[in-house]
């Protein structure tokens, strides 16, 4: 390894030879020797070893388990096209369509029928999806199914645009200012559940999707919503009677809550979380 | 010479000015994760802080520091003014502007995606633009290092390029190559999505491109520390470098083997087969070699200095070393931290052992120990070494500098050793808060509290570091400060083998190796179907 | 003596052959150590099937709920025709679905996970079953749990603001107990109120 004496070609050749050897060794181990013994049914042939090492084997198709009957939670897929349509509504036209909705969702929602949700201020994507789910029957509710079936997707978008423009529930953006008392240090178990979740049970913080402080597409803001409605929906998710949550997050989480917790959460969000802060 | 000094000084000031608050953020984060009380206890704030801390410590602080150090070497080792100084200033401005661009949305809570920004989670467009601008600024530095290197060689045909310049140019070249991975990911995949032109992204391809940068960047950070090992420490210790040739070989090995190992960060990923994962794993064993070589050469160098100072016996030379020299102390402390840090690295790169600790706190503890410990302690010592030469004012005290380095050493150990243990116990990483009422988590409470203690010591050390440098800058100008002298080797080579004096050959080998090890892994994504994932933002960026 | 060494005339203090010889010995020693570690990696790979996951399977993350292997009725523990177990989870913001699953001890279990949204990770606490879940791809990992018990399975890759509360449970029961469970009991027996 002394400086200067060997000819350029011989040291260079040595370097290339060493490198080639190392590379050959690594490929030999990685594609020939090691994958041979990775099969669960005995050693692979050379071709299968190579395929396995390249990742070309797949196991999704060959699994033989019987597929239980298909249950689709929602027909909405959050493609860019869907999002653009849902966001592209005309609020003025929506106001006209909403004249029919307001009878329940505005006048009555706040007074005698607290299990009718308030829609004012709701995220457009949420309104659009729920209407589509009512139409397709993936979300069941007596009057809403018929009503939704009489509307077109453009109608949903317009109605959604209208309600989103109305003052009511706060916009859920994933709030950007930090706050205190949103960890497990908070002595109030309800606040802990809302802002920090309960990892012992595997329950995510409500706020991490529903706000304040988190955002997930399709997850409605809950602040200032009707308490009875919220409590009822949580129960429905827990029992599986409401099943339109895409990929089951709400059904999974709601089943882990106690009935008392559901009531307290609903009540806390309905009061606007102000008293908790 | 005057403007070049200002150039290096500006880079180092900028680097340390963002380093200090970032350590403060780190301490707050440690407190959040612990059972102790802490202000602003909001998990969202933690993730924003973590993004800022990681982005500063990984992309801004080391880049600016290395650029400044590189310019200082180019001037002092080559003994001539820097060519293209105006371009260097332009690069510096880009780095500063880019950093501010990237930090603004993080501070606004709109880009809490962490410094690894794995898609399809997307943050604010200004974050990615900022990071891209920082990288562009750093490329000005890469080009200037190469240009100055080549110019000196042309004017000094046949002579060995001074080791310090050879090494830092290796560093620049390595960065130039490796940054292409993350830059491709940002430019071709992420920016189109965050600008709204596209709405889906192949997360597997993104992670793979990022992995091309993710490992080699740590060698980009590490090589300047080794430059100090090889060329500054022997001088400060009053000795000689054991072997100039082995130094060059080590740096060349880093250049060739740092990038084609990146997929060891993807061992647990579903988008690659085990074949290439193993290839990268084996090459990672090889990239451990230059560090092992360095440990030997540097220890031998320390021994020479110790014996020259009268040390006798098997270990008596250790005591004879000038421990009041920050540069010597930092090298010894760095080597002591390198032992557990390197050991952890060997575990991470062995697949079977990695499976136990992947994405647990062990990983976080490891890179804090090896980067925050070994590398940053050397950056601090380099800072002490350069400061008098750049400011024209002596360091107010070497004693405070040594105390500061000891504090950093102990703080880093106290912070990371419990953290490693917590990882082995199964503590997942990137958690803002832990529920200590869970008995399984409660077992780790004391570990997290110990880490806080370590963090407090580190913040004090960082503040002291800043204080020493700031006060020294305000001291009155000295009579004359001796210029930087780079160490001589025990047997200084009159001529150096052309392969150890230039890079063309190694560039070709590097390219070939990257093609062989990443060609199929990257290429396969263009033949897979159906894998594009819709973008997801943590904050709602669409108008309601 | 210190000045002497910084002086040009002090070159050759240690003969170049000595330097070369000692460096070469160290290089061989280190290469041997690394080679031994590599041999252990290869050995455990061959004899213990300790290898990284290897099947590259793509899947459209946006339509998981509509069609294919990860529709909701197909999640959780499934007993294959050959007696092995397939355990399918979805990893999503911020829960695993199902949140809890029962598997038999001492049986080969094929974990299959994917995500409809962002990158997650998972590890079955105190074991080395540990992998990433990347949307667009199916993670396929083999495991065998010898010791019955309840294992926490946290998410170990940052997936958003709710990352720190995202955890599933894997309940390992003795084989005989498992065979007595009805399919719906493999999920509902744990965690529900």
């Amino acid at each position: 390894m002394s400086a200067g004496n060997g000819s350029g070609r011989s040291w260079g050749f040595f370097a290339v030879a060493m490198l080639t050897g190392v590379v050959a060794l690594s490929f030999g181990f990685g594609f020939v020797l090691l994958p041979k013994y990775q099969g669960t049914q005995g050693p692979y042939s050379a071709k299968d070893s190579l395929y396995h090492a390249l990742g070309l084997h797949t196991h999704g198709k060959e699994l033989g388990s019987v597929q239980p009957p298909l249950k689709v939670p929602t027909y909405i897929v959050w493609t860019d096209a869907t999002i653009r349509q849902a966001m592209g509504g005309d609020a003025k036209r929506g106001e006209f369509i909403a004249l029919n909705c307001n009878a329940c969702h505005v006048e009555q929602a706040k007074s005698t029928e607290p299990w009718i949700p308030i829609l004012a201020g709701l995220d457009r994507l949420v309104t659009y999806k729920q209407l589509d789910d009512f139409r397709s029957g993936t979300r069941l509710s007596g009057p809403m199914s018929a009503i939704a079936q009489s509307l077109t997707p453009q109608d949903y978008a317009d109605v959604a645009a209208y309600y989103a423009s109305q003052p009511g529930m706060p916009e859920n953006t994933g709030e950007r200012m930090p706050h205190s008392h949103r960890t497990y240090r908070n002595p109030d178990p309800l606040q802990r559940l809302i802002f920090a979740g309960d990892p012992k049970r595997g329950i995510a913080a409500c706020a991490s999707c529903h706000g304040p402080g988190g955002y997930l597409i399709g997850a409605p803001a809950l602040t200032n919503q009707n308490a009875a409605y919220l409590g009822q929906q949580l129960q429905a998710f827990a029992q599986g009677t409401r099943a339109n949550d895409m990929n089951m997050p709400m059904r999974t989480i709601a089943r882990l809550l106690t009935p008392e917790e559901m009531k307290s959460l609903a009540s806390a969000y309905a009061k606007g979380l102000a008293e908790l802060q | 010479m005057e403007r070049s000094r200002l150039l290096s000084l500006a880079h180092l000031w900028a680097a340390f000015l963002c380093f200090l608050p970032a350590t403060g953020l780190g301490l707050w984060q440690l407190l959040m994760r612990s059972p102790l009380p802490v202000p602003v206890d909001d998990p969202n704030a933690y993730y924003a802080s973590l993004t800022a801390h990681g982005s500063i410590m990984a992309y801004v602080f080391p880049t600016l520091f290395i650029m400044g150090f590189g310019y200082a070497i180019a001037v002092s080792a080559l003994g001539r003014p820097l060519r293209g100084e105006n371009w260097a200033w332009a690069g510096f401005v880009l780095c500063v502007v880019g950093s501010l661009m990237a930090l603004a949305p993080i501070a606004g809570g709109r880009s809490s995606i962490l410094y690894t920004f794995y898609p399809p989670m997307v943050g604010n467009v200004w974050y990615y633009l900022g990071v891209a601008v920082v990288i562009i600024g750093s490329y000005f530095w890469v080009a200037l290092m190469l240009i100055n290197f080549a110019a000196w060689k042309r004017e000094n045909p046949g002579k060995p390029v001074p080791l310090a310049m050879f090494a830092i140019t290796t560093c620049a070249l390595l960065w130039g190559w490796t940054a292409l991975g993350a830059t491709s990911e940002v430019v071709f995949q992420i920016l189109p999505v965050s600008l709204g032109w596209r709405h889906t992204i192949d997360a597997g391809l993104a992670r793979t491109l990022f992995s091309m940068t993710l490992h080699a960047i740590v060698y980009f950070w590490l090589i300047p520390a080794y430059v100090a090992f090889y060329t500054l420490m022997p001088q400060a210790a009053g000795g000689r470098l054991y072997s100039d040739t082995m130094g060059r070989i080590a740096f060349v090995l880093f250049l060739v083997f740092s990038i084609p190992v990146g997929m060891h960060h993807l061992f647990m990923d579903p988008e690659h087969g085990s074949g290439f994962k193993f290839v990268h794993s084996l090459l990672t064993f090889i990239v451990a070699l230059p560090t092992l070589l360095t440990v030997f050469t540097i220890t031998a160098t320390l021994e020479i200095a110790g014996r020259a100072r009268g040390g006798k016996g098997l270990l008596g030379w250790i005591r004879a070393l000038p421990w009041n020299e920050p540069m010597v102390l930092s090298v010894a402390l760095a080597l002591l931290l390198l032992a557990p840090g390197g050991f952890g690295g060997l575990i991470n790169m062995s697949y079977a052992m990695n499976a136990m600790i992947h994405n647990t706190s062990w990983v976080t503890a490891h890179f804090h120990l090896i980067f925050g410990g070994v590398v940053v302690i050397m950056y601090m010592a380099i800072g002490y070494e350069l400061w008098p030469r750049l400011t024209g004012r002596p360091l107010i005290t070497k004693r405070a500098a040594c105390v500061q380095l000891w504090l950093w050493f102990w703080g880093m150990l106290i912070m990371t050793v419990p953290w490693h243990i917590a990882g082995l116990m199964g503590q997942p990483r990137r958690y803002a808060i832990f529920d200590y009422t869970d008995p399984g988590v409660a077992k780790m409470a004391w570990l997290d509290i110990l880490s806080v203690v370590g963090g407090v010591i580190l913040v004090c050390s960082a503040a002291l570091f800043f204080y020493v440098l700031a006060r020294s800058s305000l001291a009155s100008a000295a009579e004359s400060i001796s210029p930087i002298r780079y160490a001589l080797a025990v047997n200084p080579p009159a001529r150096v083998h052309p392969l150890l004096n230039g890079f063309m050959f190694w560039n070709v080998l590097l390219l070939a190796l990257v093609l062989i090890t990443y060609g199929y892994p990257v290429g396969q994504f263009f033949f897979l179907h159906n894998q594009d994932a819709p973008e997801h933002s943590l904050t709602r960026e669409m108008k309601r | 003596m210190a000045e002497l060494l910084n002086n040009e005339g002090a070159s050759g203090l240690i003969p170049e052959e000595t330097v070369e010889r000692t460096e070469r010995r160290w290089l061989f020693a280190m290469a041997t150590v690394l080679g031994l570690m590599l041999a252990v990696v290869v050995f455990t790979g061959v004899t213990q099937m300790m290898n990284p996951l290897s099947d590259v399977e793509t899947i459209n993350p946006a339509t998981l709920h509509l069609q294919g292997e990860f529709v909701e009725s197909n999640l959780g523990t499934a007993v294959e025709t050959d007696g092995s177990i397939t355990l399918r989870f979805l990893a999503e913001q911020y829960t695993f679905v199902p949140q809890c699953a029962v598997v038999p001890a001492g049986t080969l279990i094929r974990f299959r996970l994917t995500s409809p949204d962002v990158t997650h990770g998972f590890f079955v606490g105190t074991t080395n079953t540990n992998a990433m879940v990347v949307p667009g791809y199916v993670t396929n990992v083999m495991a065998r749990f010898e010791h019955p018990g309840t294992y926490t399975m946290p998410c170990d890759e940052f997936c958003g603001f709710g990352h720190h509360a995202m955890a599933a449970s894997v309940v390992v029961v003795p084989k005989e107990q498992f065979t007595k469970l009805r399919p719906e009991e493999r999920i509902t027996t744990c965690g529900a109120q």
Side-chain angles (χ1 to χ4, degrees):
Chain A
M1 273 154 236
S2 72
N5 262 356
S7 83
R9 211 165 286 140
S10 75
W11 276 115
F13 182 78
F14 177 72
V16 172
M18 289 292 288
L19 190 59
T20 310
V22 160
V23 168
L25 192 71
S26 68
F27 274 79
F29 280 138
F31 287 90
V32 177
L33 177 66
L34 282 167
K36 193 167 152 74
Y37 300 98
Q38 289 180 38
T40 51
Q41 322 277 345
Y44 283 135
S45 65
K47 172 170 162 271
D48 277 340
S49 293
L50 183 63
Y51 273 31
H52 178 92
L54 284 173
L56 299 177
H57 279 168
T58 61
H59 295 270
K61 313 317 182 270
E62 61 192 51
L63 290 173
S65 58
V66 174
Q67 282 260 16
L70 189 63
K71 208 173 58 162
V72 170
T74 171
Y75 288 94
I76 292 281
V77 176
W78 291 122
T79 59
D80 177 58
T82 307
I83 294 175
R84 257 188 289 132
Q85 166 161 68
M87 297 292 292
D90 173 4
K92 279 237 72 77
R93 189 169 173 268
E95 184 176 5
F96 178 68
I97 303 172
L99 290 173
N100 297 324
C101 319
N102 288 340
C104 292
H105 282 287
V106 176
E107 275 89 49
Q108 305 227 5
K110 290 191 184 178
S111 53
T112 58
E113 315 292 335
W115 56 80
I116 295 179
I118 298 169
L119 298 183
L122 207 54
D123 184 321
R124 281 191 252 195
L125 297 173
V126 172
T127 314
Y128 182 94
K129 174 177 181 293
Q130 297 305 319
L131 280 170
D132 194 81
D133 290 344
F134 282 126
R135 179 195 58 74
S136 67
T138 50
R139 182 175 177 181
L140 297 168
S141 154
M144 283 313 302
S145 306
I147 292 171
Q149 272 159 16
S150 67
L151 299 172
T152 67
Q154 186 56 50
D155 293 337
Y156 309 152
D158 296 333
V159 166
Y162 166 69
Y163 277 117
S165 68
Q166 294 302 297
M169 299 167 57
E171 184 177 3
N172 182 27
T173 56
E175 190 185 57
R176 295 162 191 146
M177 286 300 296
H179 290 253
S180 289
H181 312 300
R182 291 194 171 177
T183 67
Y184 305 117
R185 296 170 177 83
N186 193 318
D188 178 1
L190 190 61
Q191 290 193 58
R192 286 202 300 269
L193 196 54
I194 292 176
F195 293 112
D198 184 358
K200 285 204 295 277
R201 285 182 281 170
I203 301 177
C206 316
S208 57
C209 296
H210 292 286
Y215 166 75
L216 188 72
I217 189 169
L222 300 176
T223 316
N224 294 339
Q225 184 56 273
N226 277 335
Y229 172 74
L230 287 180
Q232 188 191 54
Q233 296 310 305
L234 277 172
Q235 285 285 3
F237 276 126
Q239 287 154 15
T241 47
R242 178 165 170 189
N244 72 329
D245 50 335
M246 191 192 293
N247 296 311
M248 297 183 76
M250 279 314 302
R251 278 172 280 167
T252 306
I253 289 175
R255 276 209 353 243
L256 302 169
L257 294 169
T258 66
E260 299 76 40
E261 279 172 335
M262 293 189 201
K263 260 185 63 195
S264 313
L265 287 171
S267 159
Y269 262 111
K271 295 204 186 101
L273 298 182
E275 64 178 31
L276 295 183
Q277 301 286 316
Chain B
M1 211 43 183
E2 192 51 58
R3 254 187 102 213
S4 301
R5 278 202 272 164
L6 192 56
L7 179 70
S8 289
L9 199 58
H11 281 80
L12 295 184
W13 262 124
F16 297 142
L17 267 170
C18 56
F19 175 72
L20 187 59
T23 55
L25 286 178
L27 177 59
W28 178 81
Q29 286 155 218
L30 283 171
L31 277 166
M32 270 290 274
R33 300 171 73 255
S34 75
L36 301 170
V38 63
V40 196
D41 54 334
D42 181 346
N44 292 16
Y46 179 89
Y47 295 119
S49 171
L50 192 56
T51 308
H53 175 86
S55 301
I56 292 175
M57 295 302 207
Y59 302 138
V60 178
F61 158 65
T63 309
L64 281 169
F65 175 85
I66 297 168
M67 288 165 71
F69 186 33
Y71 290 133
I73 292 177
V75 170
S76 54
L78 301 183
R80 64 221 286 289
L82 184 75
R83 291 206 177 184
E85 204 176 296
N86 288 334
W87 289 103
W89 280 109
F92 173 70
V93 167
L94 280 176
C95 284
V96 171
V97 166
S99 307
L100 294 171
M101 277 166 68
L103 287 173
I106 301 174
R110 304 175 80 129
S111 205
S112 301
I113 49 179
L114 308 196
Y115 79 101
T116 46
F117 50 83
Y118 289 132
M121 191 189 296
V122 290
N124 188 280
V125 63
W126 290 101
Y127 175 75
Y128 302 109
L129 286 173
V131 169
V133 169
V134 170
I135 294 180
I136 295 173
S138 72
Y139 267 72
F140 281 50
W141 171 78
V142 169
L144 287 174
M145 288 289 110
L146 292 169
I147 288 170
N148 279 269
F149 177 88
W152 189 91
K153 274 191 76 178
R154 256 196 325 270
E155 294 163 15
N156 297 271
K159 284 181 57 209
V161 179
L163 180 60
M165 186 64 189
F166 180 80
I168 204 73
T169 311
T170 314
C171 185
L173 202 46
L174 176 61
W175 175 243
W177 287 123
T178 189
L180 292 175
T183 310
S184 307
E185 181 203 0
V186 168
V187 166
F188 296 117
Q189 289 195 281
I190 301 184
L191 274 176
V193 168
S194 76
L195 287 168
W197 303 341
R198 297 195 57 207
H199 302 276
T200 59
I201 193 165
D202 182 342
L205 174 60
R207 290 174 66 85
T208 308
L209 290 174
F210 192 69
S211 79
M212 287 173 92
T213 304
L214 191 54
H215 199 78
I217 195 174
V218 319
Y219 294 112
F220 167 58
W221 299 333
L222 183 63
I223 291 179
Y226 283 8
V227 170
F229 277 9
Y230 280 95
T231 65
L232 293 179
M233 178 277 286
Q235 191 69 8
R240 291 231 177 171
L241 174 62
Y242 191 61
S243 170
D244 174 280
T245 310
M246 283 319 272
R248 289 171 193 264
I249 290 178
F251 291 116
V252 151
L253 283 173
F254 278 127
L255 177 62
V256 174
F257 288 101
S258 295
I259 301 176
V261 302
M263 271 172 61
H264 69 233
H265 290 270
L266 304 178
F267 275 165
M268 306 311 193
D269 274 50
E271 70 268 10
H272 292 293
S274 62
F276 279 101
K277 288 180 182 176
F278 183 81
V279 169
H280 283 243
S281 171
L282 191 148
L283 290 173
T284 311
F285 279 87
I286 302 209
V287 85
L289 259 180
T291 293
L292 293 168
L293 292 176
T294 300
V295 166
F296 179 79
T297 307
I298 296 308
T299 312
T301 304
L302 283 167
E303 186 182 349
I304 291 176
R307 294 197 187 285
R309 301 180 87 89
K312 305 238 183 301
L314 190 60
L315 295 173
W317 55 271
I318 298 179
R319 245 187 320 160
L321 284 167
W323 294 112
N324 57 348
E325 274 295 328
M327 180 56 70
V328 177
L329 176 64
S330 65
V331 171
L333 296 178
L335 288 175
L336 284 174
L337 293 172
L338 185 54
F343 172 73
L346 292 176
I347 293 197
N348 297 346
M349 71 187 189
S350 311
Y351 167 74
M353 291 191 277
N354 180 58
M356 285 170 35
I357 46 82
H358 172 69
N359 269 2
T360 64
S361 287
W362 168 282
V363 176
T364 325
H366 164 75
F367 66 71
H368 277 83
L369 178 59
I370 197 99
F371 176 44
V374 178
V375 174
V376 170
I377 211 172
M378 289 309 302
Y379 285 6
M380 291 167 165
I382 294 170
Y384 289 135
E385 195 72 21
L386 288 179
W387 223 247
R389 277 80 181 224
L390 295 178
T391 59
R393 293 155 166 77
L395 264 191
I396 46 162
T397 158
K398 278 191 182 166
R399 185 130 195 287
C402 288
V403 166
Q404 182 268 317
L405 292 170
W406 274 111
L407 282 176
W408 192 260
F409 170 79
W410 283 114
M412 194 52 72
L413 277 179
I414 295 174
M415 179 179 79
T416 58
V417 170
W419 218 355
H420 276 96
I421 299 173
L424 281 174
M425 290 169 69
Q427 185 183 76
R429 68 180 285 210
R430 297 182 150 171
Y431 268 40
I433 47 179
F434 291 97
D435 181 4
Y436 290 99
T437 61
D438 182 337
V441 178
K443 282 191 244 178
M444 305 180 208
W446 67 283
L447 295 166
D448 293 326
I449 295 175
L450 264 179
S451 289
V452 171
V453 172
V456 169
I457 299 175
L458 288 172
V459 169
C460 295
S461 173
L464 182 54
F465 174 68
F466 202 79
Y467 172 77
V468 170
L469 293 184
R471 269 297 305 261
S472 301
S473 304
L474 296 172
S476 43
E479 336 64 56
S480 65
I481 310 260
S482 62
I484 303 180
R485 280 189 61 192
Y486 295 95
L488 293 169
V490 167
N491 301 299
R495 296 186 82 81
V496 154
H497 195 290
L499 283 182
L500 296 179
N501 213 33
F503 300 109
M504 181 53 75
F505 179 76
W506 306 112
N507 278 334
V508 172
L509 279 191
L510 165 63
L511 263 159
L513 206 48
V514 170
L515 270 170
I516 293 170
T517 55
Y518 267 109
Y520 179 91
V522 168
Q524 67 166 354
F525 292 108
F526 297 95
F527 296 94
L528 292 171
H529 301 288
N530 250 343
Q531 75 270 30
D532 282 1
E535 58 171 309
H536 282 265
S537 178
L538 293 183
T539 53
R540 194 178 202 290
E541 302 294 325
M542 297 178 275
K543 241 192 73 57
R544 174 161 72 162
Chain C
M1 188 57 160
E3 280 75 29
L4 252 181
L5 285 194
N6 291 344
N7 182 314
E8 287 283 350
S11 299
L13 214 59
I14 301 172
E16 183 64 18
E17 308 85 63
T18 311
V19 170
E20 266 186 50
R21 183 171 28 98
T22 49
E23 293 275 9
R24 210 188 352 243
R25 271 197 210 146
W26 179 259
L27 175 60
F28 284 150
M30 290 300 104
T32 308
V33 166
L34 293 174
L36 282 171
M37 287 192 66
L38 190 68
V40 170
V41 169
V42 173
F43 183 75
T44 51
V46 168
T47 58
Q48 311 268 333
M49 271 181 77
M50 282 190 178
N51 285 288
L53 44 156
S54 196
D55 304 329
V56 179
E57 308 183 40
T58 58
I59 191 167
N60 185 342
T63 56
L64 294 176
H65 59 288
L66 288 181
Q67 68 205 24
E69 187 185 349
F70 289 90
V71 293
E72 30 183 79
S73 42
N74 205 32
L75 299 174
T77 313
V79 184
E80 301 301 332
T81 41
D82 64 355
S84 69
I85 302 284
T86 302
L87 179 49
R88 293 184 182 85
F89 283 101
L90 277 181
E92 54 191 77
Q93 286 168 321
Y94 300 105
T95 181
F96 289 97
V97 179
Q99 193 275 332
C100 179
V102 184
V103 293
T107 317
L108 194 63
I109 298 175
R110 182 188 295 280
F111 278 75
R112 289 178 65 76
L113 285 92
T114 189
S115 169
D117 43 41
V118 299
T119 302
H120 300 264
F122 75 99
F123 68 91
V124 182
T126 73
T127 72
N128 60 1
T129 301
N130 188 339
M132 307 301 293
V133 185
V134 179
Y137 301 87
V138 177
T139 298
N140 184 84
V141 185
M142 309 296 292
R144 190 198 316 269
F145 302 112
E146 302 296 350
H147 306 288
T150 301
Y151 296 80
T152 308
M153 184 174 109
C155 173
D156 65 4
E157 178 56 72
F158 176 68
C159 51
F161 293 135
H163 168 58
H164 46 267
M166 179 173 166
S169 296
V170 177
V171 180
V172 180
V173 298
K175 259 190 253 202
E176 321 74 54
Q177 191 181 336
F178 181 81
T179 47
K180 297 205 198 96
L181 291 175
R182 295 191 308 277
E184 56 275 17
E185 278 180 320
R186 297 185 203 134
I187 301 178
T188 57
T189 44
C190 42
Q193 296 297 328

